[in-house]
Each structure stands twice: as structure tokens, then as C-alpha cells.
Amino acid sequence: MLGFIIKGLIRDHHRSLFPLMIISFGVMLTTFMYGYSTGAFEGMKSTSAKLGAGHVKVMTKKYAEISNQVPNDFAVINTDKVLKSLNKLQGVDWVRRIKFGGLLDIPDENGETKTQGPFVGMGIDILGENSSEVSRMDLEKILQEGRLPTKSGEVLVAQALANKLKVKLGETATIIGSTASGGMAIYSFIVTGFIKYGIPALDRNLLIADITDTQYALNMDNSAGEILGFFKDDLYNDEFAEKIKTDFAKYSSMHGNELTILSLLDQDGLREYLNVEYIGIGILMGVFLLIMIVVLWNTGLMAGIRRYGEIGVRLAMGESKGELVRYMVYESVVIGVVGSFIGASLGTLACLYLKEVGIDMSDMMEASSVLISPIMRANVTFFGFLIGFIPGILAVVLGTMLAGIGIYQRN
């Protein structure tokens, strides 16, 4: 039967060519949109995790309540002891970070203020032995000029901020802010490099220093505002994150139950945002499916008119209407599988290209305050390849079945 159907479709391409083109185009769009959307979501999660949220994050409960204000007076203390407990949770790399802010003062040759401007600072482990933070934060990739800090007292400054404050490599930059205890913090650094993430919200006023210098400057010895956990494969897994949260409860009692833990999706409304986006993808695929069903229904009706004589002869020879409709459905399944394979392959190739090259959205995100990379890349998975087969096969079968109603009206 299958061989007979395939031979018929090849010899009479009028039956299959137009439906094949429609299915291939629809499946290609479905596969591409799924790969592009999931790639954008994965990029958002990856960027948010690396630059502030982690895959899981440990804070004090008071810090978590107003974390957007970066209240370092509620920081985690005795972090060595806390990390010793956290390291019992397998599969997670724990790091300390401190967020802070204030004024960045650039002195002239006489030591007087030349320029000043607000900054947002981040203290990370740059100088630590076997530290994973340099690679995780892509410091070598985002370095535009100069070098990374190699000793205490050195700092990286966003290139846009450096241009605005007219600071040069090797010059002194002094941070003016407040300590964790509420006093005034004044600490001088040597600017060794200019960085650029391509994320406007960061590039406007970012400063990155080693966490040891940050602790000293802010009077936070053995303390950190946040302790971030990153999964070993560097990919966020919500089930594993929930397991870590459950296991964490066993250790939080060791620290007076003052600590809390949040997963990546628990922060900044990211879970709700992604749920809405996934619903949007489902609606979009449903619209594609509906359009293809209508088009293929009309195509089936036209084919029924063109094959009017053939259908009449087959009915006259004794073939039942049910058998005839089933035969046409089998034809549709073959067309759907072939068209879906072609469309999914083309869509996957487009996603592979977009994964390597990406789309630069920098111009559209200049005023954005969202921590997301402006280079949008697609995600390529085996499930993404298969997902296009659902509307591809379903649309042509439903279209043929609707058109086949006319066969039952024949005498």
C-alpha cells in the first residue's frame, strides 16, 4: 500500500506538490519560531544567572525582602562557615558576591576632583586561586582595552562610564559610598581595563572589583551580600533547583534560620514572564496550524474536483466511500511526513545559522534596563526538530478529512 501511494504521488505531482510546499513552509516557520523563542529565553536565563541571580541564590531573609535596594547591612556574615555547609549540597558551585553603589571620583594631577559620576559596583572573586568567576563573567571576552586585575587595588570600569568621566588606563578612581555599618566608604583603585557587555543597563555605569577589596572597602570582612550557586553543567534545571531548595532547609537551621534561598525563576518575576511567553508560543503555533488546515482543506477540495472522474470510477468499481477516504488520508500522511521533514530540516538549518551568528538588537535596547544580551541566538534541539511534525501532519490530515466529506455526498 505504501509503495503504491508513493508511486502515485510521484507520477502525479499535481496531488502532492502544492500541499508539500504549504506544509514545508509552515513547518519551517514553526521550527524556526520555536528555536528562536526558546533560544531567546535560554539567553535571558543564562544572562540573568551569570550577572546577578545565579541558578540559586542564598541571602538573609531581611536582605531578600528589599534586595533591589542592595542592603549590605543585612549581608550574610561568617560566609566561610556558610559555604562549608553549602558545599555539602552536591552539583553546585557556590560563589560570594557583593553589589554596591555610590559615586566614582576621578582626581586630577593635584588630587582634586576632576569628574564624578554614579556607578553600580560588583565585587566578585577575580584574584582567587582556581576561581571560576573570570570565565563565568566572560571578563576576557568583554575586555575592550587594558588588562584584567592581577593584584589587590585594581578595578575594571565600563567603557561608557570611563568615557563619560574621562578616565584613562592606569589612573586612580576613588569610590565614595557607605559601608555595611552605615559609615562612609572611601577607597581608591587603579583602573586597569575597560569592559563592555553590550547590555545598556550594565554598560552605562558598571564597575567590577575583586571581592576582597570590596569587603575591605565596605567593612564587610568575611561577609557577602549574596551567595550564588551555579550548577555544574552551567545549565539551569528547575527540578534540580527545587531539590537544592529542599535540601537547603536541612542546613539553614545551622545558621539560626536567618538565611533563605531562591531559584533563578523565583527572582524578578522571571517564572511568570516565561510562562506568559510559552503560552504565546503555543498560541502562535495554534494559529499556524489553523491557517494550514484551512489552506489544505481548500487544496483538498480542489483536488477532489480535479479527481472527480477518478473518484467516480473507483466508487463505480465497488470501492467503498470509507476505503476511499482512508486511502486519501494515507496519501496525506505520506505528504505530511515528507513535507514536515523538509520544513523541519530547513527550519533547523536557519536556527543553526542564527545560533552561530545571532541577531544584534543593540539599537533597539539602548534605553533598556533589562539584563539580557542584545545578541539574540536560536536554540537547536532534537525536540525543536520534531515539534514541527505536529502541525505538519495534523494539518494535512484534518484538511483532507474535511475535504473528504464531499465523497460521502457522491452517488
Side-chain angles (χ1 to χ4, degrees), residues 50-51 97 122 124 132-140 142 197 208:
K50 288 192 298 184
L51 299 180
R97 288 191 186 174
M122 190 181 300
I124 66 174
S132 58
E133 289 284 76
V134 172
S135 60
R136 180 177 293 117
M137 295 288 288
D138 297 323
L139 294 186
E140 293 179 347
I142 65 171
Y197 272 104
I208 297 180

Side-chain angles (χ1 to χ4, degrees), residues 65-120:
E65 291 175 0
I66 51 174
S67 59
N68 59 324
Q69 300 178 27
V70 194
N72 283 323
D73 47 332
F74 296 132
V76 180
I77 61 174
N78 298 321
T79 54
D80 290 343
K81 182 179 177 182
V82 175
L83 285 172
K84 186 177 180 179
S85 298
L86 291 175
N87 284 330
K88 296 177 182 178
L89 302 174
Q90 299 296 316
V92 186
D93 180 23
W94 298 96
V95 297
R96 296 175 293 181
R97 288 191 186 174
I98 299 175
K99 295 178 181 177
F100 60 105
L103 284 176
L104 189 63
D105 182 274
I106 309 302
D108 58 18
E109 60 275 6
N110 298 318
E112 301 293 333
T113 297
K114 180 175 64 175
T115 54
Q116 272 187 350
F119 75 92
V120 173

Side-chain angles (χ1 to χ4, degrees), residues 54-73:
H55 293 145
V56 287
K57 180 192 289 186
V58 173
M59 303 168 283
T60 63
K61 294 179 179 179
K62 291 183 178 180
Y63 186 105
E65 291 175 0
I66 51 174
S67 59
N68 59 324
Q69 300 178 27
V70 194
N72 283 323
D73 47 332

